Amino acid sequence: MKISIIGTGYVGLVSGACFAELGNTVICADNDPRKVANLKKGEIPIFEPGLEELVKKNVKTKRLSFTSSIKDAVVKSDIIFIAVGTPSLENGEADLTGIENVARNIAINMSGYKLIVEKSTVPVETGEWVKKTILNNRKRSYEFDVASNPEFLREGSAIGDFMNPDRVVIGVESKKARELLTMLYRPLKAPIVVTDIKSAELIKHASNSFLATKISFINAVSRVCDKVGADINEVAYGMGLDKRIGPQFLCAGIGYGGSCFPKDVDAFVTITDKIGYDFELLKAVREINQQQKKFFLGKVKENLWIIKDKTVGILGISFKPNTDDIRSAPALDFIRFLLQEGAHVKVYDPSALEKAKAVLQDTKIRYCTNAYEVARGSDCLLLVTEWDEFKELDFLKIKKLLKRPLLIDGRNVYDPVKMKALGFTYVCIGRRSARKG
Ligand code: NAD
């Protein structure tokens, strides 16, 4: 099939490369000419395992190409996916400027039947607006369909997730749209949920909000554990064995971050408020998430006492391992807080340092090339992102390098007994060792 993807970011580039790998002819378009120029030179703008190889392979076979001309992409394809960003506005609403802009561009450049598919995460009823935008801007009465096909891939395992999804969700209003999309996804051999557009839009917001709820739930339970001296990892394990609950998303820590959960929960709360339902549960989920970040910083304060002039070492900036994405990463809030309190901050992340430098723009931060360099001379070490390489550190070496053997683990990855035996003051979230005394 002839496909174009408008918006060549984490979702657009992965989807484009995967659709090409499945044998389709794919044009990835973006309004960032520098990104397109780099992609044409074979430079991949993001870190995503396996993506560079997949892109190069499909460019070589000419199934995948890049353009900054939306017109070109629209004219040459039958199915057009919109995969532009939908970030939060200040009031929490999803900013749909990009969606509107692309829909208008598609309408202006239509040259025959087009199936226009929302892949970006959008609030319910956005499909209606996309339809109106096309109708208001198309030059001739070419036929078209609008569909919703939300994406569920996770950064860090995006290609595997795209190729082996738990389900594919398709929201359609016509037989033609349904046939085109089911045909496109058939090679994936995943269950295809065919529904109406509004329900498809809601499946995405409801799914992300539910996952965020699980995280806030376990974080709330971790606070109880902290107070009574129970162990959240054991509580979560005991809960997760129940098939109705499952073990995923039951890891207590520093709260969720990233480019999806915070903005999607905000957008879901805002859209439900707007249509007259007060989603109190989700508002609490959001509040618990904020509290959890403060709780973690409280632990830093409690253990360092005075933060001013102390050196704090931070391991991990990206919002989760195996990605360079730092959008709404909790580490950024922590770094800003520590700097404000007058601490010296040293950081290391296996792939997000360049993005962090660009966003933080603070010349006082010391960016290190590995975890040991971070530890050298630091008054404490904070584990913020659980990259695999941090799980296998030589902690005897780390202990020698630190000014004081204080390890504050925001992800509950280390064994408290081992850490204690190594001579660390080991602080974690809602586990027995976190108890005072
Ligand atoms: P991104 O910021 O990485 O990519 C968006 C791309 O769209 C950028 O390259 C940008 O230059 C381009 N763009 C913006 N406006 C444009 C326009 N008017 N015309 C052409 N190109 C334009 O974002 P992302 O992480 O890929 O997310 C895209 C959408 O997918 C969002 O709605 C997001 O919520 C959703 N989503 C993201 C993930 C994820 O893990 N990142 C997963 C599922 C769904």
Side-chain angles (χ1 to χ4, degrees):
M1 291 189 181
K2 289 185 182 145
I3 297 174
S4 63
I5 319 258
I6 320 284
T8 310
Y10 286 88
V11 164
L13 187 55
V14 171
S15 309
C18 289
F19 279 138
E21 178 71 9
L22 293 172
N24 303 288
T25 305
V26 183
I27 304 175
C28 280
D30 204 284
N31 68 350
D32 177 346
R34 215 176 46 164
K35 192 178 251 189
V36 173
N38 286 340
L39 280 163
K40 282 184 174 171
K41 283 189 273 174
E43 286 168 23
I44 309 297
I46 52 171
F47 170 71
E48 180 61 44
L51 185 59
E52 187 166 350
E53 296 79 1
L54 196 69
V55 168
K56 284 189 172 151
K57 179 182 166 200
N58 283 284
V59 166
K60 208 169 170 190
T61 58
K62 296 203 172 8
R63 283 198 299 259
L64 180 62
S65 59
F66 302 99
T67 181
S68 49
S69 160
I70 310 290
K71 180 179 178 184
D72 206 35
V74 171
V75 169
K76 290 183 181 157
S77 50
D78 308 315
I79 309 180
I80 303 159
F81 285 88
I82 307 179
V84 299
T86 47
S88 293
L89 291 168
E90 231 157 67
N91 64 0
E93 213 176 302
D95 182 352
L96 301 176
T97 318
I99 301 279
E100 200 250 3
N101 185 294
V102 173
R104 207 166 354 97
N105 253 310
I106 293 171
I108 294 166
N109 294 300
M110 268 165 81
S111 53
Y113 173 84
K114 303 288 167 191
L115 170 57
I116 299 137
V117 190
E118 303 169 340
K119 197 166 239 331
S120 300
T121 303
V122 291
V124 62
E125 296 187 324
T126 301
E128 293 293 315
W129 283 105
V130 171
K131 229 184 306 172
K132 279 184 208 159
T133 308
I134 306 277
L135 285 171
N136 291 340
N137 291 281
R138 67 183 170 168
K139 291 209 173 112
R140 287 168 54 184
S141 49
Y142 292 119
E143 271 185 53
F144 72 96
D145 278 306
V146 170
S148 164
N149 168 226
E151 182 49 58
F152 299 95
L153 63 76
R154 295 162 299 174
E155 288 172 21
S157 53
I159 294 169
D161 289 347
F162 190 95
M163 292 299 207
N164 300 293
D166 291 340
R167 79 304 206 184
V168 171
V169 173
I170 289 170
V172 284
E173 284 181 338
S174 80
K175 192 165 168 255
K176 188 167 183 178
R178 175 197 179 130
E179 280 174 0
L180 280 171
L181 286 174
T182 45
M183 205 162 29
L184 179 65
Y185 277 108
R186 197 164 294 139
L188 294 186
K189 297 186 175 56
I192 299 182
V193 179
V194 181
T195 181
D196 60 276
I197 296 176
K198 288 180 199 169
S199 301
E201 291 168 336
L202 275 172
I203 287 171
K204 178 64 190 179
H205 262 170
S207 299
N208 272 7
S209 298
F210 189 76
L211 293 172
T213 303
K214 265 187 114 174
I215 296 172
S216 278
F217 185 87
I218 205 67
N219 280 335
V221 178
S222 82
R223 302 289 297 275
V224 179
C225 288
D226 224 45
K227 288 199 185 290
V228 300
D231 191 306
I232 191 61
N233 280 14
E234 287 168 26
V235 172
Y237 178 66
M239 287 171 65
L241 285 175
D242 186 326
K243 290 191 187 69
R244 295 168 303 175
I245 298 172
Q248 290 99 346
F249 287 78
L250 286 186
C251 295
I254 52 176
Y256 58 77
S259 64
C260 291
F261 287 180
K263 93 168 166 61
D264 292 349
V265 170
D266 277 352
F268 204 23
V269 165
T270 324
I271 189 74
T272 45
D273 267 344
K274 207 166 165 178
I275 57 185
Y277 176 69
D278 183 6
F279 212 143
E280 285 178 277
L281 173 65
L282 272 191
K283 289 177 184 171
V285 164
R286 198 164 56 172
E287 178 54 32
I288 291 168
N289 198 54
Q290 282 308 107
Q291 283 169 13
Q292 197 70 8
K293 288 194 238 173
K294 288 189 192 139
F295 176 61
F296 178 70
L297 286 173
K299 284 188 180 270
V300 177
K301 241 181 157 165
E302 200 178 295
N303 283 278
L304 277 180
W305 187 33
I306 305 296
I307 291 181
K308 191 170 183 318
D309 289 332
K310 297 268 167 62
T311 302
V312 181
I314 295 184
L315 300 182
I317 304 177
S318 58
F319 82 96
K320 67 172 186 176
N322 295 324
T323 180
D324 60 349
D325 196 349
I326 59 164
R327 290 177 284 182
S328 300
L332 299 178
D333 291 342
F334 300 157
I335 292 169
R336 289 189 182 113
F337 169 83
L338 291 165
L339 289 170
Q340 227 170 42
E341 294 278 308
H344 307 287
V345 175
K346 295 175 82 176
V347 293
Y348 166 66
D349 185 283
S351 81
L353 286 184
E354 287 314 310
K355 286 194 172 161
K357 277 180 204 168
V359 167
L360 288 163
Q361 295 197 335
D362 191 304
T363 48
K364 292 195 293 294
I365 300 169
R366 277 206 38 209
Y367 295 94
C368 302
T369 52
N370 59 55
Y372 302 104
E373 200 186 324
V374 173
R376 182 172 293 121
S378 287
D379 291 276
C380 76
L381 203 55
L382 311 187
L383 180 84
V384 177
T385 314
E386 68 281 29
W387 284 87
D388 277 346
E389 67 174 76
F390 298 148
K391 294 179 186 163
E392 284 144 24
L393 292 171
D394 175 349
F395 274 99
L396 276 179
K397 188 170 163 187
I398 294 272
K399 193 182 149 201
K400 280 189 199 136
L401 290 167
L402 282 167
K403 221 186 268 174
R404 185 186 150 195
L406 173 58
L407 175 61
I408 306 183
D409 176 1
R411 300 292 186 170
N412 282 352
V413 297
Y414 303 115
D415 180 346
V417 177
K418 273 192 199 153
M419 284 301 159
K420 200 171 173 196
L422 283 169
F424 277 93
T425 301
Y426 177 63
V427 180
C428 45
I429 312 284
R431 288 162 87 196
R432 274 190 285 273
S433 72
R435 245 171 117 189
K436 276 191 183 166

